[in-house]
Amino acid sequence: ELLTLINLGRTHIVLGGFAGAKAVLDDALVLAARLDDAENTAEVYATLSKAHHLSGSHAQALGYIEKSLSMPGIKDSQKGERLNLKGMALMGAGRNAEAREAIIEALRLNDSSGAVQEAANSKRALAAMDIVEGDFGGAFRLFSEAYEIDKASGDPGKIAADLFGMGNSLRNG
C-alpha cells in the first residue's frame, strides 16, 4: 500500500496535480512512519519536496529534501538525485551559490555511483545556472555533455531540453 501511495503521488506530479500529490504523499508519510520504514520515508520526503518545488513552494521543498537527506541508509545515487532536487529548489528560491554547491556535489556523487542519468540531470541544472549567470560557453558545454548521455539513453524529453539549452546558449552567447 505504501509504494502504491508513493507512485500515485508521483503520477499526480507528472500530471501537474500538485495538491493531489501532496495529499496522497501526506497519507504515505503517515503510513511510512507507522511501518517504521526509513527508506520509504526518505522517498516520500523527496517526492513531497519535488511536488512543492514544482508548485513554487521552494521553502517547503527545501524542508522536505533536508529531511530526506537526513534519513539513514541513503545510497550515493539516491543522495545525488536528492541533491539535484535541493539545488533546483535553492535556485528557485534565488539562492544560486548554495544551489551550485548542491548540484556540484550531486554531480560528484552521481559520477562516482554510476548514476549516469542523474549525472546528466546535474549537468543540465548547472547549465541552467550558467545561463542565469551569463556563462553561455559553460552552459553550452554542459548541455552538450547532457545531450550525449541522453541521446545514448534515448530519452526524447531530455534530448529536447538539451538541444533547446544548447540553442539558447548559442543565441545568447
Side-chain angles (χ1 to χ4, degrees):
E1 185 179 350
L2 178 56
L3 293 178
T4 300
L5 289 173
I6 294 170
N7 287 328
L8 183 57
R10 289 178 180 146
T11 301
H12 278 287
I13 290 169
V14 168
L15 297 175
F18 304 119
K22 292 171 193 175
V24 168
L25 293 167
D26 284 342
D27 290 344
L29 197 55
V30 170
L31 181 56
R34 193 173 26 184
L35 297 172
D36 195 27
D37 185 338
E39 182 179 347
N40 281 312
T41 299
E43 189 61 34
V44 173
Y45 282 141
T47 309
L48 274 164
S49 178
K50 186 172 188 173
H52 282 280
H53 165 65
L54 292 173
S55 68
S57 302
H58 303 297
Q60 287 178 298
L62 289 167
Y64 281 117
I65 203 63
E66 288 298 341
K67 287 179 181 180
S68 178
L69 287 165
S70 71
M71 297 297 293
I74 296 175
K75 300 174 197 150
D76 281 352
S77 60
Q78 293 169 314
K79 188 173 182 183
E81 178 183 359
R82 291 168 188 167
L83 283 170
N84 274 339
L85 180 55
K86 178 181 179 179
M88 296 305 293
L90 285 163
M91 196 177 351
R95 295 164 55 184
N96 289 353
E98 293 171 81
R100 184 173 291 280
E101 287 177 21
I103 296 168
I104 288 171
E105 178 64 9
L107 179 57
R108 186 189 69 72
L109 289 169
N110 291 326
D111 281 342
S112 68
S113 68
V116 178
Q117 285 306 125
E118 278 304 315
N121 291 339
S122 298
K123 291 172 188 273
R124 200 174 304 101
L126 287 170
M129 292 194 70
D130 282 349
I131 286 179
V132 168
E133 295 170 357
D135 181 2
F136 300 108
F140 183 83
R141 178 184 56 79
L142 288 163
F143 277 124
S144 297
E145 291 173 12
Y147 170 75
E148 291 302 322
I149 294 168
D150 294 331
K151 186 172 68 169
S153 74
D155 187 322
K158 291 182 179 183
I159 290 169
D162 300 332
L163 290 171
F164 179 80
M166 290 163 62
N168 195 22
S169 301
L170 289 173
R171 184 179 65 241
N172 290 302

